[in-house]
Amino acid sequence: MVEQLSEAERAEALDGLPDWDYDDARDAITRRFTFADFSEAFAFMTRVALLAEKADHHPEWSNVYNRVEILLTTHDAGGLSERDIEMADAIDGLVE
């Protein structure tokens, strides 16, 4: 079973993800991405979907035209886990 991060583990992990925000109400991390247009945003979502399938860890997300908002939390753990941190890091790798 996947374990929820402790407060200290969460703080340390978030230090390594400066573009992600912590959502206290959901014990989750969120990030908004903005692209040149819808095609670029959709292509990004496709790349994230491939990562998510491979990791068997799927984000909550929304897309409006050139914006993609992603929320990561591990439902089985009841909140933020190492799986979310690893997924956020992999997602960041797609845009950096």
Side-chain angles (χ1 to χ4, degrees):
M1 181 173 159
V2 179
E3 297 291 323
Q4 186 175 4
L5 294 177
S6 69
E7 191 172 323
E9 291 169 328
R10 181 178 63 235
E12 183 179 342
L14 291 175
D15 283 344
L17 297 170
D19 295 321
W20 291 79
D21 295 314
Y22 180 65
D23 180 336
D24 188 50
R26 301 274 318 267
D27 192 20
I29 53 177
T30 62
R31 183 170 175 191
R32 174 185 266 199
F33 299 86
T34 304
F35 300 94
D37 55 30
F38 177 76
S39 293
E40 200 174 296
F42 192 83
F44 168 74
M45 291 179 73
T46 301
R47 293 191 304 275
V48 171
L50 293 171
L51 288 175
E53 275 298 298
K54 186 175 181 180
D56 192 29
H57 190 58
H58 304 90
E60 294 181 27
W61 58 5
S62 65
N63 165 241
V64 177
Y65 181 58
N66 68 335
R67 294 183 317 276
V68 177
E69 294 186 20
I70 297 178
L71 181 141
L72 297 171
T73 191
T74 303
H75 300 285
D76 293 345
L80 201 62
S81 78
E82 186 60 35
R83 295 184 78 194
D84 303 305
I85 303 308
E86 291 170 1
M87 180 62 68
D89 190 47
I91 291 169
D92 284 351
L94 296 175
V95 294
E96 294 175 351

